[in-house]
Amino acid sequence: TTTLDPALQGFAEQALVAELDAKGAKYGVSQGAFVAMAPDGSIRALVGGRNYTESQYNRAVTAKRQPGSAFKPFVYLTALEKGLTPNTIREDGPLNVKGWKPENYSREYFGPVTLTNALALSLNTVAVRVGMEVGPRNVAATARRLGIYSKLDVNASLALGTSEVTPLEMVSAYGAFANGGYLVEPRIIREIRTRNGEVIFTRADPEPVQVIAPPILAMLNTMLRETLVSGTGKRAELPGWEAAGK
């Protein structure tokens, strides 16, 4: 018995193929992965590639890629835990870190901005500034605390998601944003029975481990919601988007 939702699994497989068909050639992409998870860690849909008969490599669980801006919430979570607030002001402007000059995607700058606006607009220079302010080592520790187990390079570019992780790790870590701040242990098997009905394995619920304090989580989720209201995540403003973790 698994945690998978057959209908969602089917939709996920169709969506991945449709996206690859529509944009794969343009971007030189032939494969993809998909993970959908309930906030308690139950995997509802998991697709490891375009076609299992052609490739059995599970990209959702094994393949490591740079998460890019999806890593920024770990930077801002660290900042909130260090005493900053969603309304803290930081400068969005040209930056030089030992010869490395990160730029915003739009290549424009907004000057003084709140951390909320910086996250909503995915401003790279602010993320790097805040990451350096709180310390890349602390940012890495935050990510590991939430379930990122891949090796993270402790440097300034970590704030922009340059260290490679798996899709499953990212979805699991985001789960803590959605479930009240508890560590997520992904699972897909609920129970195993023999042909005669004998139960030989039952997945026990893990002991809850609080990894984000509720007041901090409330501030972070306020910032994340703004991303869907006025920022780079507007296309994800779907029914039920108010729930955290999307």
Side-chain angles (χ1 to χ4, degrees):
T1 305
T2 75
T3 63
L4 293 172
D5 180 314
L8 289 180
Q9 179 69 21
F11 290 140
E13 293 170 5
Q14 294 169 20
L16 179 59
V17 171
E19 189 75 359
L20 290 171
D21 286 346
K23 302 176 182 177
K26 178 181 178 181
Y27 294 108
V29 175
S30 61
Q31 283 288 358
F34 186 105
V35 182
M37 182 185 296
D40 67 353
S42 300
I43 297 172
R44 299 306 190 199
L46 187 145
V47 187
R50 181 188 185 99
N51 188 316
Y52 182 79
T53 59
E54 296 175 1
S55 171
Q56 291 80 53
Y57 182 62
N58 192 336
R59 294 158 187 83
V61 176
T62 307
K64 294 186 178 182
R65 295 291 185 271
Q66 293 181 339
S69 292
F71 197 84
K72 289 175 182 174
F74 306 132
V75 176
Y76 290 105
L77 173 57
T78 307
L80 295 175
E81 292 177 337
K82 295 293 184 181
L84 279 66
T85 74
N87 293 322
T88 295
I89 303 292
R90 289 295 180 267
E91 183 73 17
D92 176 38
L95 182 63
N96 188 325
V97 182
K98 298 181 180 179
W100 176 52
K101 300 177 181 179
E103 296 180 328
N104 294 328
Y105 182 77
S106 64
R107 298 194 176 181
E108 60 179 328
Y109 302 104
F110 295 88
V113 295
T114 65
L115 298 191
T116 296
N117 287 337
L119 177 57
L121 298 174
S122 196
L123 302 179
N124 290 339
T125 69
V126 179
V128 173
R129 279 192 169 92
V130 173
M132 294 297 291
E133 179 179 341
V134 301
R137 193 170 302 278
N138 290 323
V139 173
T142 296
R144 283 194 290 269
R145 193 174 78 231
L146 269 62
I148 300 293
Y149 300 114
S150 295
K151 181 181 180 296
L152 300 175
D153 294 324
V154 180
N155 53 36
S157 70
L158 176 65
L160 303 186
T162 55
S163 291
E164 295 184 337
V165 300
T166 69
L168 184 62
E169 284 178 298
M170 286 297 293
V171 176
S172 299
Y174 266 64
F177 303 154
N179 68 10
Y182 290 92
L183 179 66
V184 169
E185 294 184 16
R187 59 182 182 272
I188 200 167
I189 301 296
R190 292 189 188 276
E191 187 178 77
I192 300 174
R193 292 173 179 261
T194 66
R195 185 174 300 178
N196 296 325
E198 178 188 355
V199 177
I200 58 175
F201 172 81
T202 299
R203 174 64 184 251
D205 292 332
E207 289 294 323
V209 178
Q210 187 96 43
V211 290
I212 309 175
I216 301 295
L217 179 61
M219 289 191 287
L220 179 65
N221 279 334
T222 296
M223 297 170 66
L224 288 170
R225 289 188 182 102
E226 190 60 35
T227 304
L228 278 70
V229 174
S230 65
T232 57
K234 288 180 180 178
R235 290 177 62 190
E237 190 177 347
L238 305 170
W241 68 270
E242 297 90 345
K246 290 188 171 59

